[in-house]
Coordinates of all heavy atoms in Angstrom, one line a residue:
M1 N -39.8 3.2 3.7 CA -38.5 3.3 4.4 C -37.7 4.4 3.9 O -37.5 4.6 2.7 CB -37.9 1.8 4.2 CG -36.5 1.7 5.0 SD -35.7 0.2 4.7 CE -36.8 -0.9 5.3
N2 N -37.1 5.2 4.8 CA -36.2 6.3 4.3 C -34.8 5.9 4.0 O -34.5 4.7 4.2 CB -36.3 7.4 5.2 CG -35.6 7.2 6.6 OD1 -34.7 6.5 6.6 ND2 -36.2 7.9 7.6
R3 N -34.0 6.6 3.4 CA -32.7 6.3 3.0 C -31.8 5.8 4.1 O -31.1 5.0 3.9 CB -32.1 7.5 2.2 CG -32.7 7.8 0.9 CD -32.0 9.0 0.3 NE -33.0 9.6 -0.7 CZ -33.2 10.8 -0.8 NH1 -32.3 11.7 -0.3 NH2 -34.1 11.3 -1.5
V4 N -31.9 6.5 5.3 CA -31.1 6.2 6.4 C -31.5 4.7 6.8 O -30.4 4.0 7.1 CB -31.3 7.0 7.5 CG1 -30.6 6.7 8.8 CG2 -30.9 8.5 7.3
H5 N -32.6 4.3 6.9 CA -33.0 3.0 7.2 C -32.5 2.0 6.2 O -32.1 0.9 6.5 CB -34.5 2.9 7.4 CG -34.9 3.5 8.7 ND1 -35.5 4.6 8.8 CD2 -34.8 3.0 10.0 CE1 -35.8 5.0 10.1 NE2 -35.3 4.0 10.8
T6 N -32.6 2.4 5.0 CA -32.2 1.5 3.8 C -30.6 1.3 3.9 O -30.2 0.1 3.9 CB -32.3 2.2 2.4 OG1 -33.8 2.3 2.3 CG2 -32.0 1.2 1.3
I7 N -29.8 2.3 4.1 CA -28.4 2.1 4.3 C -28.1 1.3 5.6 O -27.2 0.5 5.6 CB -27.6 3.5 4.3 CG1 -27.8 4.1 2.9 CG2 -26.2 3.3 4.7 CD1 -27.4 5.5 2.7
S8 N -28.7 1.6 6.7 CA -28.6 1.0 7.9 C -28.8 -0.5 7.8 O -28.1 -1.4 8.4 CB -29.6 1.6 9.0 OG -29.4 0.9 10.1
S9 N -29.8 -0.9 6.9 CA -30.1 -2.4 6.8 C -28.9 -3.0 6.1 O -28.8 -4.4 6.3 CB -31.3 -2.6 6.0 OG -31.2 -2.2 4.6
Y10 N -28.0 -2.4 5.4 CA -26.9 -3.0 4.7 C -25.8 -3.2 5.8 O -24.8 -4.0 5.5 CB -26.4 -2.2 3.6 CG -27.1 -2.4 2.3 CD1 -28.2 -1.6 2.0 CD2 -26.6 -3.2 1.4 CE1 -28.9 -1.8 0.8 CE2 -27.2 -3.5 0.1 CZ -28.4 -2.8 -0.1 OH -29.0 -3.0 -1.3
L11 N -25.8 -2.5 6.9 CA -24.6 -2.4 7.8 C -24.8 -3.0 9.1 O -23.9 -3.5 9.8 CB -24.2 -1.0 8.0 CG -23.8 -0.2 6.7 CD1 -23.5 1.3 7.0 CD2 -22.6 -0.8 6.0
K12 N -26.0 -3.2 9.5 CA -26.4 -3.7 10.8 C -26.9 -5.1 10.9 O -27.5 -5.4 9.9 CB -27.4 -2.8 11.5 CG -26.9 -1.3 11.8 CD -27.9 -0.5 12.4 CE -28.2 -0.8 13.8 NZ -29.1 0.1 14.5
D13 N -26.6 -5.8 11.9 CA -27.1 -7.1 12.2 C -26.8 -8.0 11.1 O -27.7 -8.9 10.6 CB -28.6 -7.0 12.5 CG -29.0 -6.3 13.7 OD1 -28.2 -6.3 14.7 OD2 -29.9 -5.4 13.6
R14 N -25.6 -8.1 10.5 CA -25.3 -8.9 9.3 C -24.6 -10.1 9.9 O -24.0 -10.1 11.0 CB -24.3 -8.2 8.4 CG -25.1 -7.2 7.7 CD -24.2 -6.3 6.7 NE -23.3 -7.1 6.0 CZ -22.0 -6.8 6.0 NH1 -21.6 -5.8 6.6 NH2 -21.2 -7.6 5.3
T15 N -24.7 -11.3 9.3 CA -24.0 -12.4 9.7 C -23.4 -13.1 8.5 O -23.7 -12.7 7.3 CB -25.2 -13.5 10.3 OG1 -26.1 -13.8 9.2 CG2 -25.8 -12.9 11.5
F16 N -22.5 -14.1 8.8 CA -22.0 -14.9 7.8 C -21.7 -16.3 8.1 O -21.8 -16.7 9.3 CB -20.6 -14.4 7.3 CG -19.5 -14.5 8.3 CD1 -18.6 -15.6 8.2 CD2 -19.4 -13.8 9.5 CE1 -17.6 -15.9 9.0 CE2 -18.4 -13.9 10.5 CZ -17.6 -15.1 10.2
E17 N -21.5 -17.2 7.2 CA -21.2 -18.6 7.5 C -20.3 -19.0 6.3 O -20.4 -18.5 5.2 CB -22.4 -19.5 7.7 CG -23.4 -19.6 6.5 CD -24.6 -20.4 6.7 OE1 -25.0 -20.7 8.0 OE2 -25.2 -20.7 5.8
A18 N -19.4 -19.9 6.6 CA -18.6 -20.5 5.6 C -18.9 -22.0 5.2 O -19.2 -22.6 6.2 CB -17.1 -20.4 6.1
S19 N -18.8 -22.2 4.0 CA -19.1 -23.6 3.5 C -17.8 -24.1 2.8 O -17.2 -23.4 2.0 CB -20.3 -23.6 2.7 OG -21.5 -23.2 3.4
F20 N -17.6 -25.5 3.0 CA -16.6 -26.2 2.3 C -17.0 -27.6 2.0 O -17.3 -28.3 3.0 CB -15.2 -26.1 2.9 CG -14.1 -26.8 2.1 CD1 -13.6 -26.3 1.0 CD2 -13.7 -28.0 2.6 CE1 -12.7 -27.0 0.3 CE2 -12.7 -28.7 2.0 CZ -12.1 -28.1 0.9
Q21 N -17.3 -28.0 0.7 CA -17.7 -29.2 0.4 C -19.1 -29.5 1.1 O -20.0 -28.7 0.9 CB -16.7 -30.4 0.7 CG -15.6 -30.2 -0.3 CD -14.4 -31.2 -0.1 OE1 -14.4 -32.0 0.9 NE2 -13.5 -31.2 -0.9
T22 N -19.1 -30.5 2.0 CA -20.4 -30.7 2.7 C -20.6 -30.1 4.1 O -21.6 -30.1 4.8 CB -20.6 -32.3 2.7 OG1 -19.7 -32.8 3.6 CG2 -20.7 -32.9 1.5
A23 N -19.5 -29.4 4.5 CA -19.6 -28.8 5.9 C -19.8 -27.4 5.8 O -19.3 -26.6 5.0 CB -18.1 -29.0 6.6
T24 N -20.6 -26.9 6.8 CA -21.0 -25.5 6.9 C -20.7 -25.1 8.4 O -21.1 -25.8 9.3 CB -22.4 -25.2 6.6 OG1 -22.6 -25.7 5.3 CG2 -22.8 -23.7 6.7
S25 N -20.1 -23.9 8.5 CA -19.8 -23.4 9.9 C -21.0 -22.8 10.6 O -22.1 -22.7 9.9 CB -18.8 -22.3 9.9 OG -19.4 -21.1 9.3
S26 N -21.0 -22.6 11.8 CA -22.1 -21.9 12.5 C -22.1 -20.5 12.0 O -21.2 -19.9 11.6 CB -21.9 -21.9 14.0 OG -20.7 -21.3 14.4
R27 N -23.4 -19.9 12.1 CA -23.5 -18.5 11.8 C -22.9 -17.5 12.7 O -23.1 -17.9 13.9 CB -25.0 -18.2 11.6 CG -25.3 -16.9 10.9 CD -26.7 -16.8 10.5 NE -27.0 -17.8 9.5 CZ -27.8 -17.6 8.6 NH1 -28.6 -16.6 8.5 NH2 -28.0 -18.6 7.6
R28 N -22.1 -16.6 12.3 CA -21.5 -15.6 13.2 C -21.8 -14.3 12.8 O -22.1 -13.9 11.6 CB -19.9 -15.7 13.0 CG -19.3 -17.1 13.2 CD -19.1 -17.4 14.7 NE -18.7 -18.9 14.8 CZ -17.6 -19.2 15.2 NH1 -16.6 -18.4 15.6 NH2 -17.4 -20.5 15.5
G29 N -21.7 -13.3 13.7 CA -22.0 -11.9 13.5 C -20.7 -11.2 12.9 O -19.7 -11.5 13.0
M30 N -21.1 -10.1 12.1 CA -20.1 -9.3 11.4 C -20.1 -8.0 12.1 O -21.1 -7.3 12.3 CB -20.3 -9.2 10.0 CG -20.3 -10.5 9.2 SD -20.6 -10.4 7.5 CE -19.1 -9.4 6.9
R31 N -18.9 -7.4 12.4 CA -18.9 -6.1 13.2 C -18.4 -5.0 12.2 O -18.4 -3.8 12.6 CB -17.8 -6.2 14.3 CG -18.6 -7.1 15.5 CD -17.5 -7.1 16.6 NE -16.5 -8.1 16.2 CZ -15.6 -8.6 17.1 NH1 -15.4 -7.9 18.2 NH2 -14.7 -9.6 16.7
A32 N -17.8 -5.4 11.0 CA -17.3 -4.4 10.1 C -17.5 -4.9 8.7 O -17.7 -6.1 8.5 CB -15.8 -4.0 10.5
G33 N -17.4 -3.9 7.7 CA -17.4 -4.3 6.3 C -18.7 -3.9 5.7 O -19.6 -3.4 6.3
V34 N -18.7 -4.2 4.4 CA -19.8 -3.8 3.6 C -20.3 -5.0 2.8 O -19.5 -5.8 2.2 CB -19.5 -2.6 2.6 CG1 -20.6 -2.3 1.6 CG2 -19.0 -1.3 3.2
A35 N -21.6 -5.2 2.7 CA -22.2 -6.3 2.0 C -21.8 -6.3 0.6 O -21.8 -5.3 0.0 CB -23.7 -6.3 2.2
Q36 N -21.4 -7.5 0.0 CA -21.2 -7.6 -1.3 C -22.3 -8.0 -2.2 O -23.2 -8.6 -1.8 CB -20.1 -8.6 -1.5 CG -18.7 -8.3 -0.8 CD -17.6 -9.3 -1.0 OE1 -17.8 -10.1 -1.9 NE2 -16.6 -9.2 -0.2
G37 N -22.3 -7.4 -3.4 CA -23.4 -7.8 -4.4 C -24.6 -7.0 -4.5 O -25.4 -7.1 -5.4
G38 N -24.8 -6.0 -3.7 CA -25.9 -5.1 -3.7 C -25.6 -4.0 -4.7 O -24.4 -3.5 -5.0
I39 N -26.7 -3.3 -5.0 CA -26.5 -2.3 -6.0 C -25.9 -1.0 -5.3 O -25.1 -0.3 -6.0 CB -28.0 -1.8 -6.5 CG1 -28.6 -2.7 -7.3 CG2 -27.9 -0.4 -7.2 CD1 -30.0 -2.7 -7.7
I40 N -26.2 -0.9 -4.2 CA -25.6 0.3 -3.4 C -24.1 0.0 -2.7 O -23.5 0.9 -2.3 CB -26.6 0.8 -2.2 CG1 -26.2 2.2 -1.7 CG2 -26.5 -0.2 -1.1 CD1 -27.2 2.9 -0.8
T41 N -23.7 -1.2 -2.9 CA -22.4 -1.7 -2.3 C -21.2 -0.8 -2.7 O -20.5 -0.5 -1.9 CB -22.2 -3.1 -2.7 OG1 -23.3 -3.8 -2.1 CG2 -20.9 -3.7 -2.1
P42 N -21.0 -0.5 -3.9 CA -19.9 0.3 -4.3 C -19.8 1.6 -3.7 O -18.9 2.2 -3.1 CB -19.9 0.6 -5.9 CG -20.7 -0.6 -6.3 CD -21.7 -0.9 -5.1
V43 N -21.0 2.5 -3.4 CA -21.1 3.6 -2.7 C -20.7 3.4 -1.1 O -19.9 4.1 -0.6 CB -22.5 4.3 -2.9 CG1 -22.6 5.5 -2.0 CG2 -22.8 4.6 -4.4
L44 N -21.3 2.4 -0.7 CA -21.0 2.1 0.8 C -19.5 1.8 1.0 O -18.9 2.3 2.0 CB -21.8 1.0 1.3 CG -23.5 1.2 1.4 CD1 -24.1 0.0 1.8 CD2 -23.7 2.5 2.3
F45 N -19.0 1.1 0.1 CA -17.5 0.7 0.2 C -16.7 2.1 0.2 O -15.8 2.1 0.9 CB -17.0 -0.3 -0.9 CG -15.7 -0.7 -0.8 CD1 -15.2 -1.5 0.3 CD2 -14.8 -0.3 -1.6 CE1 -14.0 -2.0 0.3 CE2 -13.5 -0.7 -1.5 CZ -13.0 -1.6 -0.6
S46 N -17.1 2.8 -0.8 CA -16.3 4.1 -0.9 C -16.4 4.9 0.4 O -15.4 5.5 0.9 CB -16.8 5.0 -2.0 OG -16.5 4.3 -3.3
L47 N -17.5 4.9 0.9 CA -17.7 5.7 2.3 C -16.9 5.0 3.4 O -16.4 5.7 4.2 CB -19.2 5.8 2.7 CG -20.1 6.7 1.7 CD1 -21.6 6.5 2.0 CD2 -19.7 8.1 1.7
Y48 N -17.0 3.8 3.3 CA -16.3 3.0 4.5 C -14.8 3.1 4.5 O -14.1 3.3 5.5 CB -16.7 1.5 4.2 CG -16.1 0.6 5.3 CD1 -16.7 0.5 6.6 CD2 -15.1 -0.3 5.0 CE1 -16.3 -0.3 7.5 CE2 -14.7 -1.3 6.0 CZ -15.3 -1.2 7.2 OH -14.9 -2.0 8.2
I49 N -14.1 3.3 3.2 CA -12.8 3.4 3.2 C -12.3 4.9 3.0 O -11.1 5.1 3.0 CB -12.1 2.6 2.0 CG1 -12.6 3.1 0.7 CG2 -12.4 1.1 2.2 CD1 -11.8 2.6 -0.5
N50 N -13.2 5.8 2.9 CA -12.8 7.1 2.7 C -12.0 7.7 3.8 O -11.1 8.8 3.4 CB -14.2 8.0 2.4 CG -13.9 9.4 1.9 OD1 -13.1 9.5 0.9 ND2 -14.5 10.4 2.5
D51 N -12.1 7.4 5.0 CA -11.2 8.0 6.0 C -9.8 7.2 6.2 O -9.2 7.5 7.2 CB -12.0 8.1 7.3 CG -12.5 6.8 7.8 OD1 -12.2 5.7 7.1 OD2 -12.9 6.6 8.9
I52 N -9.5 6.4 5.4 CA -8.3 5.7 5.5 C -7.2 6.8 5.2 O -7.2 7.4 4.2 CB -8.1 4.5 4.5 CG1 -8.9 3.4 5.0 CG2 -6.6 4.0 4.5 CD1 -8.9 2.2 4.0
P53 N -6.1 6.8 6.1 CA -5.0 8.0 5.8 C -4.3 7.7 4.7 O -4.1 6.5 4.3 CB -4.3 7.9 7.1 CG -4.9 7.0 8.1 CD -5.9 6.2 7.4
P54 N -3.8 8.7 3.9 CA -3.0 8.5 2.8 C -1.7 7.8 3.1 O -1.2 8.0 4.3 CB -2.8 10.0 2.3 CG -3.0 10.8 3.5 CD -3.9 10.1 4.3
H55 N -1.1 7.1 2.2 CA 0.1 6.4 2.5 C 1.3 7.3 2.3 O 1.3 8.3 1.7 CB 0.2 5.1 1.7 CG 0.1 5.4 0.1 ND1 -1.0 5.5 -0.5 CD2 1.1 5.5 -0.7 CE1 -0.9 5.7 -1.9 NE2 0.4 5.9 -1.9
S56 N 2.5 6.8 2.8 CA 3.7 7.6 2.7 C 4.6 7.0 1.7 O 4.3 6.0 1.0 CB 4.4 7.7 4.1 OG 4.8 6.4 4.5
N57 N 5.8 7.4 1.7 CA 7.0 6.9 0.8 C 7.2 5.3 1.1 O 7.4 4.6 0.2 CB 8.2 7.6 0.9 CG 8.1 9.1 0.3 OD1 7.2 9.3 -0.5 ND2 8.9 9.8 0.8
H58 N 6.9 5.0 2.4 CA 7.4 3.6 2.7 C 6.1 2.7 3.0 O 6.3 1.6 3.3 CB 8.2 3.6 3.9 CG 9.5 4.4 3.7 ND1 10.6 3.9 3.1 CD2 9.9 5.6 4.2 CE1 11.6 4.8 3.1 NE2 11.2 5.8 3.7
I59 N 5.0 3.3 2.8 CA 3.8 2.6 3.2 C 2.9 2.6 1.9 O 2.7 3.6 1.3 CB 3.0 3.2 4.3 CG1 3.6 3.1 5.6 CG2 1.6 2.6 4.4 CD1 3.8 1.6 6.2
E60 N 2.2 1.4 1.6 CA 1.3 1.4 0.5 C 0.1 0.5 1.1 O 0.3 -0.3 2.1 CB 1.8 0.5 -0.7 CG 3.0 1.4 -1.4 CD 3.6 0.7 -2.6 OE1 2.8 0.0 -3.3 OE2 4.7 0.7 -2.8
F61 N -1.0 0.6 0.6 CA -2.0 -0.2 0.8 C -2.8 -0.8 -0.3 O -2.8 -0.1 -1.4 CB -3.0 0.3 1.9 CG -3.7 1.6 1.5 CD1 -4.8 1.6 0.8 CD2 -3.0 2.8 1.9 CE1 -5.3 2.9 0.5 CE2 -3.6 4.0 1.7 CZ -4.8 4.1 1.0
A62 N -3.4 -1.9 -0.4 CA -4.0 -2.5 -1.3 C -5.4 -3.0 -0.9 O -5.6 -3.4 0.2 CB -3.4 -3.8 -1.9
L63 N -6.5 -2.6 -1.6 CA -7.8 -2.8 -1.3 C -8.4 -3.7 -2.2 O -8.3 -3.5 -3.5 CB -8.7 -1.5 -1.2 CG -8.2 -0.5 -0.4 CD1 -8.9 0.9 -0.6 CD2 -8.3 -0.9 1.1
Y64 N -9.1 -4.8 -1.8 CA -9.8 -5.8 -2.7 C -10.9 -6.3 -1.9 O -10.9 -6.9 -0.8 CB -8.8 -6.9 -3.0 CG -9.6 -7.9 -4.0 CD1 -9.8 -7.6 -5.3 CD2 -10.1 -9.1 -3.4 CE1 -10.4 -8.5 -6.1 CE2 -10.7 -10.0 -4.2 CZ -10.9 -9.7 -5.6 OH -11.6 -10.7 -6.4
A65 N -12.2 -6.0 -2.5 CA -13.5 -6.5 -1.8 C -13.5 -6.1 -0.4 O -13.4 -4.9 -0.2 CB -13.6 -8.0 -2.1
D66 N -13.5 -7.0 0.5 CA -13.4 -6.6 1.9 C -12.1 -6.8 2.6 O -12.1 -6.8 3.8 CB -14.6 -7.4 2.7 CG -14.4 -8.9 2.5 OD1 -13.4 -9.3 1.8 OD2 -15.1 -9.6 3.1
D67 N -11.1 -7.0 1.9 CA -9.7 -7.1 2.4 C -8.8 -5.8 2.3 O -9.0 -5.2 1.2 CB -9.0 -8.3 1.8 CG -9.7 -9.6 2.1 OD1 -10.2 -9.8 3.3 OD2 -9.6 -10.5 1.2
T68 N -8.1 -5.5 3.2 CA -7.1 -4.4 3.1 C -5.8 -5.0 3.5 O -5.6 -5.5 4.6 CB -7.5 -3.3 4.0 OG1 -8.8 -2.8 3.7 CG2 -6.6 -2.0 3.8
A69 N -4.7 -4.7 2.7 CA -3.4 -5.0 3.1 C -2.6 -3.8 3.2 O -2.7 -2.9 2.3 CB -2.7 -5.9 2.0
I70 N -1.9 -3.6 4.3 CA -1.0 -2.5 4.5 C 0.4 -3.0 4.4 O 0.9 -3.9 5.1 CB -1.1 -1.8 5.9 CG1 -2.6 -1.4 6.1 CG2 -0.2 -0.7 6.1 CD1 -3.0 -1.0 7.5
I71 N 1.2 -2.5 3.5 CA 2.5 -3.0 3.0 C 3.6 -1.9 3.4 O 3.5 -0.8 2.9 CB 2.5 -3.4 1.5 CG1 1.4 -4.3 1.2 CG2 3.9 -3.8 1.1 CD1 0.9 -4.3 -0.2
A72 N 4.5 -2.2 4.1 CA 5.7 -1.3 4.4 C 6.9 -1.9 3.7 O 7.2 -3.2 3.5 CB 6.0 -1.3 6.0
T73 N 7.8 -1.1 3.3 CA 9.0 -1.4 2.6 C 10.3 -0.8 3.4 O 10.2 0.4 3.5 CB 9.0 -1.2 1.1 OG1 8.8 0.3 1.0 CG2 8.0 -1.9 0.3
S74 N 11.3 -1.6 3.6 CA 12.5 -1.2 4.1 C 13.4 -2.3 4.2 O 13.1 -3.5 4.4 CB 12.3 -0.5 5.5 OG 13.6 -0.1 6.1
R75 N 14.8 -2.0 4.0 CA 15.8 -3.0 4.1 C 16.1 -3.2 5.6 O 16.7 -4.2 6.1 CB 17.0 -2.7 3.4 CG 16.9 -2.8 1.9 CD 18.1 -2.4 1.2 NE 17.9 -2.3 -0.2 CZ 18.2 -3.2 -1.1 NH1 18.6 -4.5 -0.7 NH2 17.9 -3.1 -2.4
N76 N 15.7 -2.2 6.5 CA 16.0 -2.2 7.9 C 14.7 -2.6 8.8 O 13.7 -2.0 8.7 CB 16.5 -0.8 8.4 CG 16.7 -0.8 9.8 OD1 16.2 -1.4 10.6 ND2 17.7 0.1 10.1
P77 N 14.8 -3.9 9.3 CA 13.6 -4.3 10.0 C 13.1 -3.4 11.2 O 12.0 -3.2 11.2 CB 14.1 -5.6 10.6 CG 15.3 -6.1 9.9 CD 16.0 -4.8 9.3
T78 N 14.0 -2.7 11.7 CA 13.6 -1.7 12.8 C 12.8 -0.6 12.2 O 11.8 -0.2 12.8 CB 14.8 -1.2 13.5 OG1 15.6 -2.2 14.1 CG2 14.4 -0.2 14.6
L79 N 13.2 0.0 11.0 CA 12.5 1.0 10.4 C 11.2 0.5 9.8 O 10.1 1.2 9.9 CB 13.4 1.5 9.2 CG 14.4 2.5 9.6 CD1 15.2 2.9 8.2 CD2 13.9 3.7 10.3
L80 N 11.1 -0.8 9.3 CA 9.9 -1.4 8.8 C 8.8 -1.5 9.9 O 7.8 -1.0 9.7 CB 10.3 -2.8 8.3 CG 9.2 -3.6 7.7 CD1 8.8 -3.1 6.3 CD2 9.6 -5.0 7.6
V81 N 9.2 -1.9 11.1 CA 8.3 -2.0 12.1 C 7.8 -0.5 12.5 O 6.6 -0.2 12.8 CB 8.8 -2.7 13.4 CG1 8.0 -2.4 14.6 CG2 9.1 -4.2 13.1
S82 N 8.8 0.4 12.6 CA 8.4 1.7 13.0 C 7.4 2.4 11.9 O 6.5 3.1 12.2 CB 9.8 2.6 12.9 OG 9.4 4.0 13.0
Y83 N 7.6 2.1 10.6 CA 6.8 2.6 9.5 C 5.3 2.0 9.7 O 4.4 2.8 9.6 CB 7.3 2.3 8.0 CG 8.5 2.9 7.7 CD1 9.5 2.2 6.8 CD2 9.0 4.2 8.2 CE1 10.6 2.8 6.5 CE2 10.1 4.7 7.9 CZ 11.0 4.0 7.0 OH 12.3 4.5 6.6
L84 N 5.2 0.7 10.1 CA 4.0 0.1 10.2 C 3.4 0.7 11.4 O 2.1 1.0 11.5 CB 4.1 -1.4 10.3 CG 4.3 -2.1 9.0 CD1 4.7 -3.6 9.2 CD2 3.2 -2.1 8.2
E85 N 4.0 0.7 12.5 CA 3.4 1.2 13.8 C 2.9 2.7 13.6 O 1.8 2.9 14.1 CB 4.4 1.2 15.0 CG 4.7 -0.3 15.5 CD 5.7 -0.3 16.5 OE1 6.5 0.6 16.7 OE2 5.8 -1.4 17.2
S86 N 3.7 3.5 13.0 CA 3.3 4.8 12.8 C 2.0 5.0 11.9 O 1.1 5.7 12.2 CB 4.5 5.6 12.1 OG 4.0 7.0 11.8
Y87 N 1.9 4.2 10.9 CA 0.8 4.1 10.0 C -0.4 3.7 10.8 O -1.6 4.2 10.7 CB 1.1 3.4 8.7 CG -0.2 3.6 7.8 CD1 -0.3 4.7 7.0 CD2 -1.1 2.7 7.7 CE1 -1.4 4.9 6.2 CE2 -2.2 2.8 6.9 CZ -2.4 3.8 6.1 OH -3.4 4.1 5.3
L88 N -0.4 2.5 11.4 CA -1.4 2.0 12.2 C -1.9 2.9 13.3 O -3.1 3.0 13.5 CB -1.0 0.7 12.8 CG -0.8 -0.5 11.8 CD1 -0.3 -1.7 12.4 CD2 -2.2 -0.8 11.1
N89 N -0.9 3.7 13.9 CA -1.4 4.8 14.9 C -2.3 5.8 14.2 O -3.3 6.2 14.7 CB -0.2 5.3 15.6 CG 0.4 4.5 16.6 OD1 -0.2 3.7 17.1 ND2 1.6 4.7 16.9
D90 N -1.9 6.2 12.9 CA -2.7 7.2 12.2 C -4.1 6.6 11.9 O -5.1 7.3 11.8 CB -2.0 7.5 11.0 CG -0.8 8.4 11.2 OD1 -0.6 9.0 12.3 OD2 0.0 8.7 10.3
L91 N -4.1 5.3 11.5 CA -5.2 4.7 11.1 C -6.2 4.4 12.3 O -7.4 4.8 12.2 CB -4.9 3.3 10.6 CG -6.1 2.4 10.0 CD1 -6.6 3.1 8.7 CD2 -5.6 1.0 9.6

């Protein structure tokens, strides 16, 4: 198997299910993200987030595992929404 197929196997046709106590959800497909726990996972995650636009003075983002939070700061709600909309358009 060549490298392209190896990387592809980490990204395509992935599924997940959630469990809590004795209940388990049905299996669902995943459309985005990088598998956790594999040797190549840190490299794939870096590639996956590499094209996130840089933040500005009023926008910050936090990355943790497969979650991303975009945080805007302003005392003015109208500006806050404007900052978020502008960043999301860039994203």
Side-chain angles (χ1 to χ4, degrees):
M1 184 184 296
N2 67 32
R3 289 181 209 140
V4 172
H5 286 104
T6 300
I7 292 172
S8 176
S9 70
Y10 277 88
L11 303 174
K12 294 176 76 177
D13 301 321
R14 293 181 35 237
T15 60
F16 74 97
E17 62 187 16
S19 298
F20 179 72
Q21 294 179 351
T22 60
T24 302
S25 71
S26 61
R27 192 169 292 216
R28 308 271 174 119
M30 295 179 69
R31 291 181 275 181
V34 176
Q36 295 180 16
I39 293 172
I40 196 170
T41 300
V43 172
L44 293 175
F45 182 73
S46 293
L47 293 171
Y48 186 71
I49 65 165
N50 192 45
D51 61 352
I52 293 177
H55 57 276
S56 68
N57 291 338
H58 300 283
I59 295 287
E60 295 180 35
F61 54 88
L63 302 171
Y64 179 76
D66 58 353
D67 293 327
T68 303
I70 300 169
I71 305 157
T73 56
S74 176
R75 292 180 186 263
N76 181 327
T78 304
L79 285 176
L80 183 71
V81 170
S82 173
Y83 297 149
L84 283 172
E85 287 177 342
S86 177
Y87 186 79
L88 290 173
N89 284 334
D90 291 343
L91 187 62

